[in-house]
Amino acid sequence: MELKLDLSREYGLVLEGGGAKGAYQIGAWKALREAGVRIKGIAGVSVGSLNGALICMDDLERAEKIWKNIEYSQVMAVNDETIKALRERDFKSLNLQDLISSGFQILKDGGFDITPLRNLIEEVVGDEDKIRNSDRELYTVTYSVSDRKELAEDIRTGEAGTIKDMLLASAYFLAFKNEKLGGKRYMDGGGVNNVPINVLLEHGYEDIIVIRIYGLGLDKERVTEIPEGIRVYHIAPRQDLGGILEFDKKKTRKNMTLGYYDAKRFLYGLYGRIYYIDAPNTEPYYFDKMMSELEFFKIYMQDTLNEEGMAALTGYRAFTEKLFPRLAEEFKLKEGWDYKDMYLGLLEDLAKRLKVRRFQIYTVDELLREIRKKFRSLEKAGSLLPDNKK
């Protein structure tokens, strides 16, 4: 595989707010780190600020440990079993009287008690000097309710003892009990600027990687004018990462893995919407390859066409003029798709239906080999190819 990013340059990272979705950012950073991408600074908001602190310290081990083991009770003063029962609608296991009392107390307090989040930030930061002495800038975005203005500052340069407070200030979600920090009240920065690319632009960054997680808040990137000569890259999920308060370690582990492979897709120009496919050749190569394997793909087509339709599949034109346009709609290929897109779409659809392992980088031949292996297993078991619509 050929790396598509210039490693001789230094990059700024933009880390969006999005609560529990933030695990994705750590997975993406791991892939960037492995590839040798040099990070000059970070602009983060809410969970992006907390992850930014870990990146600033270059502490991948701690970051992975935190996200692999995260629970609701590490962010809010709640009972993990109660939250789990509510999510699964297991009302029989709940003490409704206690639940109602807790709900009234939360309302009375003005939100969830986030003492656990304070403790988590304490764990993340530890010794402030690790951040202050970092050669990476760390801009955190928050909104000062007291001063009625957005704040975006390199927190390494603030007064001693203020880093933890500013990280908490950036993450003050509306559902949280809001307490004064340093005599002032703050609000989650995502409400005013959830994708703070403008912060890095204002500080002279020319190469910027934006890691999207699609959290709640104002997407300022949409209205930010990118000056000529500035290079902006995006790493973004193609599936839902779950809720912003879904602090479930099974979910966050999957999101971290997804972030890692999505970053690999970006770094190495991998193809695939679901899988990660190294496909460097041009359209004619894949067209010839697809047509040479039609006997195998006809197995797939049997549940797409009736017998009459199958009988009509003779000659290239029957495929190119009738079948492939129909499959393109089914695969939801982009307008202007080509035969490379079609071939990879066929492979991905078959791989998904046969439950081929997703999180791995495949060459086209490797993926086809895994598909054939799975199919042979089905044949031996006397099973049919799984329904295309499932």
Side-chain angles (χ1 to χ4, degrees), residues 78-91:
V78 296
N79 182 284
D80 288 318
E81 293 303 315
T82 299
I83 298 295
K84 182 180 178 181
L86 285 170
R87 286 187 57 224
E88 296 177 354
R89 299 184 181 181
D90 180 15
F91 300 116

Side-chain angles (χ1 to χ4, degrees), residues 145-204:
V145 177
S146 300
D147 298 326
R148 298 183 180 179
K149 67 177 182 179
E150 177 184 340
L151 299 176
E153 301 173 356
D154 185 350
I155 61 174
R156 301 175 311 161
T157 61
E159 295 181 8
T162 61
I163 287 180
K164 297 166 191 173
D165 279 352
M166 292 312 295
L167 290 173
L168 183 59
S170 182
Y172 251 136
F173 188 59
L174 289 176
F176 295 161
K177 180 180 177 182
N178 193 290
E179 298 174 341
K180 287 186 177 181
L181 299 170
K184 296 185 178 182
R185 293 194 186 278
Y186 296 89
M187 185 179 76
D188 189 305
V192 292
N193 188 0
N194 206 36
V195 190
I197 189 172
N198 62 302
V199 175
L200 294 186
L201 291 172
E202 289 164 7
H203 287 86

Side-chain angles (χ1 to χ4, degrees), residues 79-323:
N79 182 284
D80 288 318
E81 293 303 315
T82 299
I83 298 295
K84 182 180 178 181
L86 285 170
R87 286 187 57 224
E88 296 177 354
R89 299 184 181 181
D90 180 15
F91 300 116
K92 291 182 180 180
S93 66
L94 294 171
N95 184 318
L96 292 181
Q97 186 59 48
D98 288 348
L99 189 62
I100 292 169
S101 297
S102 297
F104 277 123
Q105 188 61 50
I106 290 169
L107 289 173
K108 182 180 177 181
D109 292 342
F112 288 97
D113 177 2
I114 55 169
T115 299
L117 179 58
R118 288 178 179 271
N119 296 336
L120 181 62
I121 291 174
E122 178 75 33
E123 180 185 349
V124 168
V125 175
D127 182 2
E128 280 193 359
D129 287 341
K130 290 182 180 179
I131 293 179
R132 293 190 185 280
N133 296 331
S134 173
D135 57 0
R136 292 170 175 166
E137 298 171 332
L138 177 57
Y139 298 97
T140 185
V141 176
T142 186
Y143 181 80
S144 172
V145 177
S146 300
D147 298 326
R148 298 183 180 179
K149 67 177 182 179
E150 177 184 340
L151 299 176
E153 301 173 356
D154 185 350
I155 61 174
R156 301 175 311 161
T157 61
E159 295 181 8
T162 61
I163 287 180
K164 297 166 191 173
D165 279 352
M166 292 312 295
L167 290 173
L168 183 59
S170 182
Y172 251 136
F173 188 59
L174 289 176
F176 295 161
K177 180 180 177 182
N178 193 290
E179 298 174 341
K180 287 186 177 181
L181 299 170
K184 296 185 178 182
R185 293 194 186 278
Y186 296 89
M187 185 179 76
D188 189 305
V192 292
N193 188 0
N194 206 36
V195 190
I197 189 172
N198 62 302
V199 175
L200 294 186
L201 291 172
E202 289 164 7
H203 287 86
Y205 282 74
E206 297 180 350
D207 295 88
I208 300 172
I209 300 171
V210 182
I211 302 179
R212 297 301 311 263
I213 53 177
Y214 304 116
L216 297 176
L218 180 62
D219 183 353
K220 219 171 207 181
E221 185 184 12
R222 291 179 179 273
V223 295
T224 299
E225 184 177 347
I226 307 298
E228 188 176 348
I230 302 298
R231 291 163 289 274
V232 179
Y233 310 91
H234 292 84
I235 299 171
R238 300 181 182 184
Q239 69 180 63
D240 184 19
L241 298 180
I244 60 174
L245 295 179
E246 196 174 345
F247 292 99
D248 175 79
K249 60 186 176 184
K250 182 178 179 180
K251 185 71 172 179
T252 56
R253 289 182 183 196
K254 181 177 180 181
N255 286 345
M256 201 156 29
T257 301
L258 186 65
Y260 178 79
Y261 279 95
D262 282 355
K264 290 277 193 179
R265 177 186 278 127
F266 157 72
L267 287 166
Y268 298 100
L270 302 177
Y271 290 82
R273 293 186 297 173
I274 301 171
Y275 288 83
Y276 302 87
I277 309 171
D278 182 21
N281 294 309
T282 58
E283 180 187 15
Y285 173 86
Y286 294 106
F287 178 78
D288 290 343
K289 191 169 180 59
M290 178 167 57
M291 301 312 286
S292 69
E293 294 160 356
L294 282 181
E295 289 304 313
F296 177 71
F297 284 124
K298 278 185 179 180
I299 301 167
Y300 163 87
M301 297 164 192
Q302 285 173 356
D303 68 354
T304 304
L305 300 174
N306 55 29
E307 288 187 17
E308 183 180 346
M310 286 297 297
L313 288 180
T314 56
Y316 278 17
R317 290 183 64 181
F319 288 92
T320 58
E321 296 179 7
K322 295 180 181 180
L323 181 64

Side-chain angles (χ1 to χ4, degrees), residues 26 29 33 53-64 124 130 136:
I26 295 302
W29 170 48
R33 191 172 182 263
L54 291 160
I55 295 172
C56 195
M57 294 184 288
D58 200 32
D59 200 338
L60 177 61
E61 183 178 353
R62 183 184 297 183
E64 289 186 313
V124 168
K130 290 182 180 179
R136 292 170 175 166

